[in-house]
Amino acid sequence: MTIEITNETAESQNVNFIKEIIIQDLKDGKNDGRVATRFPPEPNGYLHIGHAKSIILNYGLAKEFGGTFNVRFDDTNPVTEDPEYVNSIIEDIKWLGAKFEGRLFYASDYFEQMYEWAVELIKKGLAYVDDLTPEQLKEYRGDYNRPGIESPGRSRSVEENLELFERMKNGEFADGSMLLRAKIDMSSPNMNLRDPIMYRVLHRHHYRQGDKWCIYPMYDFAHGYEDSIEGITHSICTLEFENHRPLYDWFLDNVSIKYRPRQYEFARLNLNYTVMSKRRLLELVEKKYVSGWDDPRLPTICGIRRRGFTASSICSFAERIGVAKRNSTVDIGLLEHAIRSELNETAPRVMGVLNPLKVVITNFPEDETISFEAPLFPDKPEMGTRIVPLTREIYIEQDDFREDPPKKYFRLSPGAEIRLRYACLIRCTGVVKNADGTIKHVECTWDPESRGGTSPDGRKVKGTSHWVSAKFGVKVTTRLYDRLFNVENPMDQEGNYLDYLNPESLVVNDNCVVEPFVATVEPGTRWQFERMGYFYADPVDSEKGKPVFNRIVTLKDSWVKVEQKQQTAPPATAPKAEEKPAEDYITIDDFNKIKLVVGKVLTAEGVDGADKLLRLTVDLGESKPRQVFSGIKSAYPDPSVLINRNVIVVANLKPRQMKFGLSEGMILASQSGKSLAVLFADASMNPGSPVS
RNA sequence: UCGGGGAUCGUCUAAUUGGCAGGACAAUGGGCUCUGGUCCCAUCAGUCAAGGUUCGAGUCCUUGUCCCCGAGCCA
């Protein structure tokens, strides 16, 4: 039953506007019922979670409609591109689970065909070679309010254009000296249509084509053709390309192509507390604010992976945020929720103390060890156990002890008793301090009757702490990651976004102690350190018997909220009732606007299909009585007692259409505790008389 | 200033295309608990504004406001 509901919600959430278009296209028999999508990265940087959204969208669409999904490197600019990025991009797409065997393509493989189409456009008189300098080009283009000026090159003959373009291709011109432009409209309000550049001269080595080409096509010219060649049906890109769609269409409509794709745009993903642009990411990496492209604080796919996120959690995140055209910034909490809810199901529970505080159990034999068998999944004990040793000296979390505990603190404090998870109950009997007043260790006694952690006499123990044997515990390093920036949108702040980096986005902690079992854990596995968070045994820095743990995400912690509230709330004497009106939600003036009149109840009856509602007709001294619905049936099981009584009606409300009819007012009633009663007016008053 | 897009709970996103504004996250309250976790229940909360059409408007019309994108030989 639960599963059905989940499926329903998942499905209904999944229908975004692009899917709707596809469903309609299929219904209309377009594209022979074919669905073909693609993800076209430029190999000039690492993929981030915004790309993941696009990959999952495109791949998901293809998969759902039995279509195909291509990965195509849009490698039309050898200046910025580097084969180094190709491998990382492929790795990231594969990791996400998008399959594209046999469907990996390169735009550069289409250069020959594109060249032919360019020639075709020249022959049709729709393209020309231009020799404007970059400065002139800019000047001739005009601006938003001023139409552009046609370049002298625009009037060249077809023959001359053909010859010049040939020579461009043959390397006779220097970089930047010649261009091939489309002849469209220099006065178009869409700047993209002011004779856009199709080819530029670039004497550069291409990582796939070598030195075969010295002219390279521009995105607008190339992209639609790439899609056409691959038979892409739905070419999905981000919003900033909306203005380019007319161009996409123009190039496709003016040459002889076999297949005509369509472009659709959706809003790119923005996340708060981070930055997403390639430029910013590159700067963070190059200036060493982070350790590399896979720094676990980065929103790059490799960073998220290194942090310990799973691909499936990214997918469920992508499904939750949906696809739309409105710019938005998704709360990073949604991503955290996605990984928490998965790891809650899949991550085994173990114990690790992040900030150790030594506890000596004074009545525990010096050399004795008691072994407890603790479940890896407390809610599913059949999933396996491990052995946890208890000794006289243990470590607990510093946060789990307070010498001077605040209210509602259920953890260890002098005289208090807590449970050591899976082990026993201990009571604090003393605090031993260093000369400087800091705590050296805490002394406790244990109740030998409470072995296993159950209280022998049924006494209540509210706090449970995780712990590690001092003798058998293993020291490990954890890296505690937090949001990269301490403001929601670093780019919207005064000054440089780098000023808002969170200095505590990474805390390396070498003093953690984990139970012995944890030291044997394989790199690349995920664990919940009980009460602390989910951790990932780093696949790179872990060594045999000495794992290094990345904190993926903390557990939700409602204690910090309780404590914060205690600290901020104390003056509870503040007159709360007076605060609201002062906030100008409702003023005396508003009250004065309410028109209260006496109404005589003419009829009163229950309403079929509504168990709380009464239908009343009330005479307000107007030309005809009003119908009013009121949720007071529980107080008047026999509605007829209301007939002929005078009640108070709010007369100047906007009539409200209800399922059962129009409600033209509101009966005043009062509710105190469980008793509900209509406010009656003096029987001697005439219907319609004002009430103050 | 011109062109293109957009505006629904705090956040993200739905609404059978004119018919009870729903879900998720967050928050709040409660229950449960050997994790102050999970889980369960409940609550809070929204149609940018003003007019108009209509029995009925988030949806249609008019006017306005605000936000995003656009003047790379980048993609």
Side-chain angles (χ1 to χ4, degrees), chain A residues 557-577:
Chain A
D557 186 351
S558 54
W559 162 241
V560 296
K561 285 176 200 163
V562 172
E563 196 178 19
Q564 273 170 14
K565 216 186 292 174
Q566 282 181 10
Q567 284 167 0
T568 53
T573 49
K576 262 203 170 159

Side-chain angles (χ1 to χ4, degrees), chain A residues 489-550:
Chain A
N489 190 344
M491 299 311 297
D492 277 0
Q493 308 297 321
E494 293 280 319
N496 193 308
Y497 75 103
L498 293 168
D499 299 341
Y500 299 89
L501 278 164
N502 175 9
E504 287 166 17
S505 60
L506 168 60
V507 175
V508 178
N509 186 342
D510 294 319
N511 293 315
C512 306
V513 188
V514 295
E515 54 169 295
F517 170 77
V518 176
T520 66
V521 140
E522 288 293 320
T525 52
R526 299 174 181 85
W527 305 85
Q528 186 196 106
F529 288 8
E530 289 205 51
R531 310 206 304 135
M532 292 287 104
Y534 294 101
F535 289 78
Y536 181 57
D538 190 280
V540 178
D541 296 326
S542 294
E543 290 168 31
K544 187 141 182 77
K546 208 156 176 36
V548 170
F549 289 99
N550 302 334

Side-chain angles (χ1 to χ4, degrees), chain A residues 586-603:
Chain A
I586 296 174
T587 65
I588 294 297
D589 281 341
D590 291 309
F591 276 114
N592 289 340
K593 285 178 195 158
I594 297 174
K595 188 180 170 195
L596 299 177
V597 300
V598 173
K600 185 172 204 170
V601 179
L602 303 179
T603 66

Side-chain angles (χ1 to χ4, degrees), chain A residues 216-286:
Chain A
Y216 290 91
M218 297 283 289
Y219 170 89
D220 284 316
F221 166 76
H223 205 85
Y225 294 144
E226 297 164 19
D227 288 336
S228 174
I229 290 168
E230 293 178 17
I232 301 299
T233 56
H234 301 265
S235 178
I236 301 166
C237 62
T238 46
L239 248 31
E240 67 267 28
F241 290 100
E242 243 168 346
N243 293 331
H244 296 243
R245 187 169 1 113
L247 245 192
Y248 182 96
D249 291 338
W250 190 92
F251 281 118
L252 288 168
D253 289 341
N254 284 295
V255 300
S256 39
I257 46 165
K258 285 206 200 93
Y259 182 74
R260 172 59 214 265
R262 299 278 162 191
Q263 174 183 301
Y264 303 92
E265 309 87 12
F266 71 100
R268 63 152 17 104
L269 170 66
N270 297 297
L271 268 184
N272 56 13
Y273 298 104
T274 190
V275 291
M276 207 81 96
S277 82
K278 274 183 187 173
R279 231 194 74 163
R280 294 323 146 6
L281 259 14
L282 183 68
E283 186 175 14
L284 288 168
V285 172
E286 284 189 335

